[in-house]
Amino acid sequence: MLRLSYWIFPILSGVVWLGTLLGLLIYWNVDAHKVHYDSMAPNQDIAYISDVGASTLKPLFITGCVITTVFLDISFGADRWLRHRGRLVPNTTLTEKVLSGLTIVFALIGTAGLILLSIFDTAHHPKLHDIFLLLFIAGYVISAIFICWEYQRLGITYRQHRVLRISFWIKLSFVILEILLAIAFVACTFTKNYNPGAIFEWIIAFIFSFYVFSFYVDLYPAVYTKETSGGKPRYVSGANATGPGHNSNSRDLDMEEAGSDRHLTNSSSGGGGLMPHNTQHLNHQHHHHGHANTTTTTTPGRGLPSNF
C-alpha cells in the first residue's frame, strides 16, 4: 500500500513541470502548426520554450513555473527538516549543514530566475529574460553541486546506506550532463545557431524534470520514521546503544532502510539497541540450581545490518 509522505512534493513538482513542457511542445507542434513567432529569428525554425511561453500559453507557462519551483523548494526544506529531526540520517558535521543551507539558498535563486523569466518573456523583455534564464540555470546547477557534496559526505559517514549513494550518483549525473548541455546551448545561441540551441534548451528542461523526481528517493524513507504522538521519531539515533559491540562510529540507526529490513529483533543487552537477529548467538553454559545462564554476543557494527 502506497503511503503518502514528504515524497509527494517532488513528485508533484516533477509532474507539473513535465506537463507544462509537454503542453507547450504539443501546442506549438499541433495546435499552432509550428508557427513562426515574432520573437524568433528569421533563420529559426524551431521555437525555444520561451517563444512558446510568451504567446497564448503564457498563463500556463507562469503557473507551471511557480508550482514547480514552490514544491521543489518545499522538497529541499523537507529534506533539511527531516534530517534535523532524525527521521532521515542526520548531518553529523557543521560542513554538511552548511552545504545543506547553500543548497536551499541557490535553489531559491534558481526559483526566482525561473518565475521571473516566465513573467518577463522573451517577446517583450528579451534582455531581462536572458538574465533570469541564466539565473535559473546557474542557481539550480550550483544548488545541485552543493547537494551532491553533502550526499557524498553523508555516504562516507553512513556507508551502509545504499540510497545515499544512489541519490549522489543521480544528482552528479544531472550536474555533469546539464553543465555540458548548458555550454552547448549558450554556444549555439551566441553564434546564432538557433535551431540546435532550441533543441538543447528543450533537452535541458526535460532532464531537469528527472532531477526533480530524484528527490523522491531521498524523502521516501521518511515514510517508515513517522513521528509518534509525543512528537519524537519512531526510529531514533542509536546513541544510547552503548553496550558491547558498539562504538562511536556505529551508533546511528539505519533510517534510510528501516522499512525494508524484516530481520530485526531487540537485543537483550547494549542498552536496548536494535541488533540483527542472525548475529545473536546463545552460548549455553553450566546450570546452577536448575537455572540456565546465557551469554549474548554481538558482531561489532551499526544498529542494523549492512544489507545494501
Side-chain angles (χ1 to χ4, degrees):
M1 180 178 178
L2 191 63
R3 304 180 185 182
L4 293 180
S5 184
Y6 293 90
W7 61 264
I8 195 66
F9 296 124
I11 295 298
L12 288 174
S13 177
V15 167
V16 169
W17 180 245
L18 200 58
T20 300
L21 293 177
L22 289 174
L24 295 174
L25 187 60
I26 293 173
Y27 171 80
W28 180 70
N29 277 278
V30 179
D31 292 349
H33 305 289
K34 297 184 179 180
V35 63
H36 190 281
Y37 295 109
D38 294 337
S39 58
M40 296 170 63
N43 63 336
Q44 181 182 347
D45 298 320
I46 302 176
Y48 282 81
I49 298 173
S50 303
D51 294 322
V52 185
S55 62
T56 306
L57 294 185
K58 183 174 181 178
L60 170 66
F61 188 39
I62 294 175
T63 303
C65 291
V66 171
I67 295 176
T68 297
T69 53
V70 167
F71 280 115
L72 180 55
D73 290 341
I74 292 175
S75 302
F76 283 114
D79 182 85
R80 181 71 194 94
W81 172 250
L82 291 170
R83 296 197 188 284
H84 172 71
R85 294 289 296 171
R87 292 184 57 187
L88 295 177
V89 290
N91 298 116
T92 57
T93 66
L94 178 61
T95 300
E96 291 173 3
K97 294 178 181 179
V98 170
L99 291 172
S100 178
L102 290 173
T103 296
I104 296 174
V105 169
F106 280 95
L108 292 174
I109 292 174
T111 293
L114 183 57
I115 294 176
L116 290 172
L117 74 83
S118 66
I119 297 173
F120 296 93
D121 60 72
T122 188
H124 303 94
H125 310 277
K127 290 185 178 180
L128 281 176
H129 180 83
D130 290 341
I131 292 173
F132 294 136
L133 176 61
L134 178 62
L135 201 65
F136 161 59
I137 295 176
Y140 275 112
V141 168
I142 295 175
S143 174
I145 291 174
F146 282 123
I147 200 169
C148 279
W149 192 353
E150 178 195 0
Y151 274 56
Q152 186 265 343
R153 294 180 65 89
L154 283 171
I156 292 175
T157 305
Y158 304 97
R159 291 183 181 275
Q160 80 276 30
H161 297 191
R162 187 177 66 171
V163 68
L164 293 172
R165 295 194 299 275
I166 293 174
S167 182
F168 167 75
W169 286 111
I170 290 174
K171 292 172 176 56
L172 182 62
S173 300
F174 165 80
V175 169
I176 295 173
L177 191 57
E178 289 288 71
I179 288 177
L180 294 176
L181 290 172
I183 292 172
F185 163 71
V186 172
C188 289
T189 301
F190 275 95
T191 56
K192 298 183 179 180
N193 292 304
Y194 296 116
N195 288 330
I199 293 174
F200 280 123
E201 185 187 50
W202 283 99
I203 294 174
I204 290 171
F206 277 109
I207 290 177
F208 181 69
S209 66
F210 292 101
Y211 170 69
V212 175
F213 284 131
S214 75
F215 287 93
Y216 164 84
V217 177
D218 306 323
L219 298 177
Y220 186 78
V223 167
Y224 300 104
T225 57
K226 289 185 177 181
E227 294 181 344
T228 63
S229 58
K232 294 184 179 180
R234 181 186 302 170
Y235 300 104
V236 296
S237 173
N240 293 327
T242 56
H246 292 79
N247 55 51
S248 59
N249 293 324
S250 56
R251 296 176 181 176
D252 298 297
L253 181 65
D254 190 350
M255 306 280 207
E256 307 289 330
E257 298 163 11
S260 62
D261 198 328
R262 295 294 182 267
H263 303 288
L264 302 179
T265 184
N266 288 326
S267 173
S268 60
S269 64
L274 290 175
M275 297 299 295
H277 181 65
N278 58 3
T279 63
Q280 294 186 7
H281 306 283
L282 295 181
N283 182 21
H284 294 279
Q285 299 180 348
H286 65 280
H287 296 265
H288 183 64
H289 297 295
H291 297 284
N293 295 326
T294 61
T295 304
T296 302
T297 61
T298 58
T299 302
R302 295 182 182 274
L304 295 184
S306 303
N307 57 355
F308 276 67

